[in-house]
Amino acid sequence: MSGQCSLCPRKCAVNRNDGQHGFCGESSVVRIASAGLHFGEEPPVTGTGGSGTIFLTGCTLRCAFCQNYQISQQGMGKDISYDEFVEICLRLQQMGAHNINLVTGSHFAPELAQYIRFAKEAGLTIPVAWNSSAYESVEALELLKDEVDIWLPDLKTLNPIMSESLFAAPDYPQTAKKAIRWMVQHYPIEKDGEILKKGVIIRHLFMPGRMDDTILALDWLKAHADGKALISLMSQYTPVPFTGSSAELARRKKALEAFQNRLVSEEEDTQLRELIDSYEFECLFYQDLSDDTSWLPDFTRPQPFSNSLSNTIWHWEKGFIS
């Protein structure tokens, strides 16, 4: 990465190598908040052993509704050396993880490409998954081409008004489509039984009250990804009990006015199921509707997620905890 950072589409041009923080909130020093086995991903990723999930600090977006806002926007996390990263990966592999799942690492792409190489040289053999917002340049993705096996991009919205309101990125739809098409082109689906070894799962989160936006996303996915990638339509939107400064909370409240900040209704769930049937996707995952909010993470806790969802082995304040 050069002195003036142009890694993500924001091209904020700060010298992250010199310790300055970009829009992502981070310098070029890799920081993580939590690592462990996670059981809340799609079945081909979770399997029976779980996904070896590593949550990176910072983010190139600032989604007003982000459930991981403590680490993506408030900076919770700790510097991680390559040898500690390698140890985390190998421990997760020994515990039976089906993959190493890097969550929101776009702003660390060059460094993580090197870290992954170190892990593979040290004995990592399970696939590596890149879990991202898809707000990333093709040039950045090319840095990871030989290291990543599975891509888990979001397709958050194709409505630029929504993307500007919710994460200050009116260019998100164009950027995400380009990134996802690159992933789909280069990584056809490969499975070992029901477990994904290589390929793409594209996720779209339905926003309450915004059915037309989901139809736009599904139209695009049907045209460009059906039969080439797995599709995951999520109905888990959950209002988050945010904390932060009064100014931060006021900005967030204003942004959240772009949609109805509530749980998905039973009527919407019925509409979504009918919509899915009408598209006849070759492979699409859909969640059962639930009003359970206990799964929301709190990264101040050594175990940020409920025990049924995760077995955390490393925490930013505690280090290795199991």
Side-chain angles (χ1 to χ4, degrees), residues 140-261:
L141 299 178
E142 289 281 355
L143 298 174
L144 300 156
K145 189 174 181 179
D146 296 328
E147 313 306 334
V148 170
D149 307 285
I150 298 168
W151 302 84
L152 307 174
D154 292 335
L155 183 60
K156 292 180 180 291
T157 182
L158 293 181
N159 182 338
I161 297 174
M162 284 287 285
S163 65
E164 181 172 19
S165 298
L166 289 172
F167 30 90
D171 61 333
Y172 174 85
Q174 178 183 355
T175 301
K177 286 191 292 184
K178 188 174 181 181
I180 290 171
R181 292 182 77 165
W182 180 92
M183 297 173 189
V184 171
Q185 177 186 353
H186 289 91
Y187 292 81
I189 296 294
E190 294 182 18
K191 289 185 176 182
D192 181 3
E194 296 301 313
I195 301 300
L196 191 64
K197 294 299 183 183
K198 188 169 289 188
V200 184
I201 299 180
I202 308 167
R203 296 159 163 174
H204 173 72
L205 175 64
F206 169 71
M207 309 301 288
R210 303 294 306 190
M211 189 66 68
D212 287 348
D213 288 345
T214 286
I215 291 172
L216 280 175
L218 292 178
D219 283 347
W220 189 85
L221 290 169
K222 181 66 179 179
H224 298 284
D226 189 27
K228 304 173 185 176
L230 309 181
I231 311 301
S232 180
L233 177 58
M234 301 181 293
S235 61
Q236 68 180 21
Y237 181 81
T238 304
V240 177
F242 294 106
T243 60
S245 68
S246 57
E248 180 183 354
L249 292 174
R251 287 194 299 271
R252 196 180 298 280
K253 181 180 179 181
K254 178 65 176 176
L256 289 172
E257 292 175 358
F259 67 102
Q260 298 174 25
N261 185 27

Side-chain angles (χ1 to χ4, degrees), residues 50-210:
S51 179
T53 308
I54 300 175
F55 289 89
L56 282 299
T57 302
C59 185
T60 59
L61 291 184
R62 289 180 184 163
C63 297
F65 52 86
C66 182
Q67 69 188 45
N68 296 339
Y69 75 101
Q70 294 166 313
I71 61 175
S72 64
Q73 299 169 25
Q74 293 185 339
M76 287 186 185
K78 178 186 175 184
D79 296 359
I80 190 82
S81 64
Y82 78 85
D83 55 344
E84 195 167 12
F85 177 89
V86 168
E87 185 176 356
I88 289 171
C89 290
L90 295 181
R91 285 200 191 189
L92 291 169
Q93 179 172 265
Q94 291 166 3
M95 293 171 68
H98 294 291
N99 46 69
I100 298 298
N101 185 346
L102 303 175
V103 181
T104 320
S106 302
H107 48 297
F108 294 131
E111 294 80 16
L112 287 174
Q114 186 175 38
Y115 277 27
I116 296 167
R117 284 194 289 272
F118 288 144
K120 289 181 177 180
E121 290 169 2
L124 183 69
T125 58
I126 56 177
V128 173
W130 189 256
N131 193 331
S132 77
S133 68
Y135 191 60
E136 44 205 346
S137 68
V138 168
E139 292 76 16
L141 299 178
E142 289 281 355
L143 298 174
L144 300 156
K145 189 174 181 179
D146 296 328
E147 313 306 334
V148 170
D149 307 285
I150 298 168
W151 302 84
L152 307 174
D154 292 335
L155 183 60
K156 292 180 180 291
T157 182
L158 293 181
N159 182 338
I161 297 174
M162 284 287 285
S163 65
E164 181 172 19
S165 298
L166 289 172
F167 30 90
D171 61 333
Y172 174 85
Q174 178 183 355
T175 301
K177 286 191 292 184
K178 188 174 181 181
I180 290 171
R181 292 182 77 165
W182 180 92
M183 297 173 189
V184 171
Q185 177 186 353
H186 289 91
Y187 292 81
I189 296 294
E190 294 182 18
K191 289 185 176 182
D192 181 3
E194 296 301 313
I195 301 300
L196 191 64
K197 294 299 183 183
K198 188 169 289 188
V200 184
I201 299 180
I202 308 167
R203 296 159 163 174
H204 173 72
L205 175 64
F206 169 71
M207 309 301 288
R210 303 294 306 190

Side-chain angles (χ1 to χ4, degrees), residues 12 141 284:
C12 59
L141 299 178
L284 182 145

